[in-house]
Amino acid sequence: MRPFTTPKVFMEPLRRRIETQLMSLTGLSLGQLDLENPKGDPGLFGPNSVSWKVHGDFPSMLVGGISALLLQVLHPLALAGVWDHSNFRQDMLGRLRRTSQFISGTTFGSTRDAEWLIEKVKTIHLQVTGIAPDGRPYAASDPDLLTWVHVAEVRSFLAAHLRYRNPNLSDAAQDAYYNEIALVAERLGARDVPRSRQEVADYLHRMRPQLVCDERSREVVRVLLNAPAPSRMAKPVGDLMMQAGIALLPDWAGDMLDLKRGPMQQRMIGLGIGTVAPILRWAMRNGSAHRARRRMGIL
């Protein structure tokens, strides 16, 4: 008689398969960072930071990253830099990986790796210059443009965390997150970086007159909506994450992009994420946050 086979024997191959596909989306797949060494190095923030908490949840960070991209394309100069100097149409996955590497590396990497990434991106930014369709010059190293890109990202990451991971994160912790993570933007050269919920809200209000949705914006949205999935199994999850990212946009941004989702749609998306996200968390056991915790001796 065959011995009884436990569910774990069946589930572990599935878990590894899901994790492999998830890892292919992250900067870890680029293989340039060793987040487990040197032992005991807390990096820029350390395990007690709010940044580790917010950036440590893979599902909400993926949703937040999608939402951030959609928000960023409303700034004509930010969009011009991507349009002129990026092959996003042919390599959206590559762009996702490089962005993921920077965010995870500066959050969870050693001090040396985080500083290496910041200097690397600063060097790349110096090469990203040009003239936007409206005749204005742009430069990725422009301090004001760096602030816009940063705010669009961290606002989206925190919004995703609150909606899909921990809605009870305190107001003080939310302000602490903005205050902590401003360090990365400032190291890149941003100025007047908002450091609290109120400062972020005020900043976005001031920026709205500068934002535009044009044909280029719509083309980036089209590329995002039609981005290929790593596998057929991953496509429904990818589609759900895309819809969750759209649902996370501020109402005014959803209106500008003609992507606003109604209350019923938002509810259905929330139910979907509530089902899928725990599975992704269960599968992901070797992500950036896990490796950083091992570096710090945290099991």
Side-chain angles (χ1 to χ4, degrees), residues 222-241:
R222 187 194 65 77
V223 171
L224 277 171
L225 290 174
N226 293 281
S231 70
R232 283 187 297 175
M233 183 178 76
K235 188 174 187 332
V237 175
D239 290 344
L240 176 63
M241 293 291 178

Side-chain angles (χ1 to χ4, degrees), residues 103-218:
I103 293 166
S104 64
T106 52
T107 305
F108 297 110
S110 66
T111 305
R112 180 179 178 180
D113 281 347
E115 291 176 346
W116 172 75
L117 281 166
I118 290 169
E119 291 305 314
K120 175 185 175 184
V121 170
K122 286 172 69 175
T123 300
I124 293 171
H125 282 171
L126 292 175
Q127 304 168 34
V128 179
T129 60
I131 305 296
D134 61 10
R136 288 183 293 167
Y138 67 82
S141 59
D142 176 359
D144 293 330
L145 206 52
L146 288 166
T147 300
W148 164 253
V149 171
H150 169 79
V151 172
E153 287 181 348
V154 297
R155 176 266 165 203
S156 300
F157 294 151
L158 182 57
H161 188 83
L162 291 170
R163 184 172 299 185
Y164 299 122
R165 180 55 172 165
N166 180 16
N168 298 315
L169 189 70
S170 70
D171 292 348
Q174 294 175 47
D175 285 343
Y177 168 69
Y178 283 131
N179 187 53
E180 287 173 6
I181 206 66
L183 171 67
V184 177
E186 289 172 347
R187 291 279 187 91
L188 285 173
R191 66 183 167 201
D192 300 326
V193 180
R195 289 179 169 269
S196 69
R197 289 168 301 132
Q198 187 60 56
E199 288 184 9
V200 167
D202 292 344
Y203 172 83
L204 290 173
H205 180 73
R206 292 196 305 272
M207 289 298 296
R208 283 182 61 180
Q210 301 181 38
L211 306 181
V212 176
C213 180
D214 57 18
E215 287 306 314
R216 285 185 166 189
S217 308
R218 296 185 183 92

Side-chain angles (χ1 to χ4, degrees), residues 248-285:
L248 210 62
L249 286 167
D251 287 344
W252 53 265
D255 287 337
M256 290 180 70
L257 291 164
D258 196 23
L259 290 174
K260 191 171 180 179
R261 299 295 183 257
M264 181 60 70
Q265 290 173 300
Q266 298 236 16
R267 204 169 301 122
M268 296 302 296
I269 291 166
L271 289 172
I273 294 293
T275 300
V276 169
I279 298 172
L280 303 186
R281 294 182 187 119
W282 162 76
M284 182 66 92
R285 298 184 188 177

